[in-house]
Amino acid sequence: MALDTSTLNQLLNTIERFVKDRLVPLEAQVSSEDRIPQEVIDEMKALGLFGLTIPEEYGGLGLNTEEECLAVRVLGHTSPAFRSVIGTNNGIGSQGLVMDGTEEQKARYLPGMASGEIIGSFALTEPDVGSDSGAVRTSARRDGDDFVLNGTKRYITNAPSAHLFTVFARTNPEESGARGVSAFLVDASTPGIELGVPDKKMGQKGAHVCDVIFNDCRDPASAIIGGLDNLNKGFGTAMKTLDRGRLHISALSVGCANRLIADALAFAMERRQFGEAIASFQLIQAMLADSKAEAYAADCMVMDAARRRDAGEKVSTLASCCKLFATEMVGRVADRALQIHGGAGYMEEYAVSRFYRDVRLFRIYEGTSQIQQTIIARNMIRDA
Ligand SMILES: Cc1cc2nc3c(=O)[nH]c(=O)nc-3n(C[C@H](O)[C@H](O)[C@H](O)COP(=O)(O)OP(=O)(O)OC[C@H]3O[C@@H](n4cnc5c(N)ncnc54)[C@H](O)[C@@H]3O)c2cc1C
């Protein structure tokens, strides 16, 4: 554990109070306005939420994986859009730098990311490159001491507010697979970067994604994560980043499931039909019980995989098992929670319909459920 028990509990209690008193009451407003108020973002900064996983020497809280999962599970009790604002700085937008960056790169960017002054974004996906992420087409051509980037990145979380992109681009045109790709740190103000219009999403209103287009964008060779020694090795950085990111999304799924179960239980105990609270009907109880058991199973999986990662074990297979099970689980829990609400569950007035749309994304990004299945099976066959 990076933190002693009492400091960790204090942190978790503070986040819990912030979620309950400040964020939950704002959920409907954020969803209808598709915007998180700036003062809330400032409060997140003051609480240190942007730097949960950034090492202490760079101004963050330096949480290990288990502690990060505990914190994210608490954040899951409110709309995932709030988590998305701090998500990239704690996950895919910073961890490549934390794991593989040079000392100079870390000193330059991590303190600003920890405080929330710098928003980091992770740009891997492209219009024709999704699940087959090693097939990156964005090119980075060497020109003296610089590389010149050309290409389009798609669905990039927090891109509209980003100051720093981690961009995966092909530095070896002879190689069409993952081995010819490097990870670049690109300042958002660099000439040659254009942002698309924010995408209209089915859920997680308040969190924004858009295209990022590179037109002859010059980035110095020194901006390759880890320096020129890491030329053509960027895909390894992306995969290591995603191992931790998948545990983060799994913990978030558990948190959202717990919130949905709490909402469904409260509704079932309140709502009366046939002269009784619907919670007394065994068919309703079955939905509550299945949800509870599945959320508990996912929670145990996530915490076990997180502890193993902290102990130095390689957890690629387990991270994919967690992502597959936890994100599918929260989909089933959301569906049952909505069913328990009956017609009311279909109405905007109740949070459950919003969560139903919000959690759908978890099964898609950071590797779809099918990609998690292929990773798990591929590793099983390799190890046999
Ligand atoms: C809101 C949102 C935010 C995102 N944020 C980011 C971000 O910050 N950075 C970033 O780089 N990307 C981001 N993404 C992109 C996301 O990671 C991809 O959408 C995802 O990896 C799937 O790629 P795709 O959409 O191209 O689907 P495709 O790869 O085209 O997949 C389509 C379908 O085919 C299935 N499929 C594909 N290959 C196989 C296979 N081998 N076996 C079986 N089935 C297969 C998939 O599971 C899926 O069901 C985001 C996406 C969304 C929607």
Side-chain angles (χ1 to χ4, degrees), residues 221 269 281 307 326 356:
M269 291 171 69
F281 303 136
R307 275 182 219 119
Y356 181 83

Side-chain angles (χ1 to χ4, degrees), residues 294-344:
E294 289 181 26
Y296 175 55
D299 199 14
C300 293
M301 287 172 76
V302 177
M303 293 307 160
D304 175 65
R307 275 182 219 119
R308 285 170 186 257
R309 185 179 183 280
D310 290 334
E313 232 178 272
K314 205 170 171 313
V315 295
S316 296
T317 307
L318 296 184
S320 287
C321 289
C322 290
K323 169 91 171 32
L324 173 64
F325 185 79
T327 61
E328 294 282 338
M329 174 280 295
V330 73
R332 290 191 295 274
V333 169
D335 191 65
R336 293 186 198 113
L338 198 150
Q339 193 68 15
I340 289 170
H341 280 71

Side-chain angles (χ1 to χ4, degrees), residues 92 122-125 130-131 154-157 201 209 361 364-368 370-371 374:
I92 54 177
F122 175 91
L124 176 61
T125 305
S131 296
R154 179 137 294 172
Y155 308 143
I156 306 306
T157 300
K201 310 194 305 326
V209 307
L361 178 58
I364 295 170
Y365 65 4
E366 302 208 16
T368 64
Q370 289 70 40
I371 291 307
T374 60

Side-chain angles (χ1 to χ4, degrees), residues 55-220:
E56 280 173 286
E57 62 264 42
Y58 302 106
L61 295 181
L63 300 191
N64 65 22
T65 323
E66 184 184 3
E67 294 162 343
E68 175 191 0
C69 287
L70 290 168
V72 171
R73 192 176 67 182
V74 176
L75 283 169
H77 280 263
T78 187
S79 295
F82 291 115
R83 193 284 327 177
S84 185
V85 173
I86 59 136
T88 48
N89 273 33
N90 282 300
I92 54 177
S94 73
Q95 290 301 305
L97 191 49
V98 170
M99 291 179 205
D100 287 342
T102 62
E103 199 37 60
E104 198 191 331
Q105 291 169 341
K106 292 184 195 183
R108 181 162 172 200
Y109 294 114
L110 289 179
M113 293 181 101
S115 67
E117 297 314 308
I118 295 177
I119 299 297
S121 243
F122 175 91
L124 176 61
T125 305
E126 300 179 4
D128 294 316
V129 178
S131 296
D132 185 11
S133 52
V136 165
R137 290 190 185 172
T138 294
S139 63
R141 179 179 47 81
R142 185 83 194 241
D143 183 25
D145 288 339
D146 295 337
F147 280 84
V148 181
L149 275 67
N150 278 289
T152 297
K153 295 294 180 179
R154 179 137 294 172
Y155 308 143
I156 306 306
T157 300
N158 289 334
S161 55
H163 304 94
L164 179 70
F165 293 105
T166 298
V167 182
F168 295 87
R170 185 160 302 282
T171 34
N172 180 2
E174 311 295 317
E175 169 65 65
S176 58
R179 273 184 298 222
V181 174
S182 302
F184 289 87
L185 294 166
V186 187
D187 222 293
S189 61
T190 313
I193 297 185
E194 198 188 313
L195 297 182
V197 176
D199 292 295
K200 290 201 165 86
K201 310 194 305 326
M202 78 177 263
Q204 298 207 18
K205 296 284 165 66
H208 301 129
V209 307
C210 71
D211 278 5
V212 184
I213 303 127
F214 298 90
N215 279 314
D216 288 333
C217 172
R218 266 182 189 275
D219 206 34

